[in-house]
Amino acid sequence: MGDIQETLLPVFIEETELALRQIASFIQEYREGAASQNSFEDARRAAHTIKGTAGLVKRFQTSEIARELENHLDANLDSSNADLDRISRWHIDLCNYLDLAKKGHEEDSLEQETGFDESLDSLINVADQDIINDFAL
């Protein structure tokens, strides 16, 4: 990892912890039937934050999962059609990837450590994309 990424890793960890707590609160509210437009938006913004900070520290799988979550929430802001099972799974996946970052491990080691097997077909090879353009949107 480059010097900039190493410098930003603690920021990524801190921001992601906060964002994951917001997403967890949204999941609980949604489960209880109490999710408001604001809680949808807060969870979407939290996913956006994770997506951006993960890309800056080259945690591309984390960034891609957060992008999928953000897009799902964005598409369902005005309805109660959000898929809570998928949202919960993305939240768990993001928590697992955050744990790896805290331990100083690369994302590739998640499958080796936990048997985690995310469908790589659903993940875009973000490393080949200009990720900075995505964050500017």
Side-chain angles (χ1 to χ4, degrees):
M1 193 179 293
D3 289 338
I4 292 175
Q5 287 81 24
E6 288 176 20
T7 302
L8 292 175
L9 189 61
V11 174
F12 162 74
I13 291 170
E14 181 179 336
E15 291 293 319
T16 300
E17 286 175 334
L18 292 171
L20 287 172
R21 281 196 290 274
Q22 286 181 308
I23 294 167
S25 293
F26 165 76
I27 291 169
Q28 185 63 36
E29 288 175 16
Y30 194 80
R31 220 176 244 134
E32 295 169 355
S36 67
Q37 182 75 23
N38 285 339
S39 38
F40 263 95
E41 183 57 34
D42 289 346
R44 189 204 64 76
R45 240 188 332 269
H48 180 81
T49 297
I50 294 170
K51 177 185 75 174
T53 56
L56 290 173
V57 293
K58 299 189 185 292
R59 310 293 289 192
F60 297 122
Q61 291 170 322
T62 300
S63 183
E64 177 58 18
I65 293 168
R67 184 193 65 80
E68 289 179 16
L69 174 56
E70 178 187 17
N71 288 345
H72 181 76
L73 292 170
D74 214 17
N76 291 287
L77 281 176
D78 296 326
S79 71
S80 59
N81 293 330
D83 184 339
L84 189 58
D85 289 336
R86 287 176 72 193
I87 293 167
S88 296
R89 182 67 215 172
W90 284 320
H91 181 261
I92 290 167
D93 293 347
L94 291 169
C95 289
N96 288 334
Y97 280 120
L98 176 61
D99 286 342
L100 281 180
K102 287 178 174 181
K103 294 176 184 175
H105 298 299
E106 296 299 319
E107 291 180 324
D108 296 341
S109 62
L110 185 57
E111 185 175 331
Q112 296 165 357
E113 283 190 12
T114 65
F116 176 78
D117 187 20
E118 179 66 42
S119 172
L120 295 177
D121 294 334
S122 70
L123 297 175
I124 297 172
N125 188 359
V126 181
D128 293 337
Q129 296 179 10
D130 183 5
I131 195 101
I132 299 302
N133 286 336
D134 194 32
F135 303 124
L137 298 177

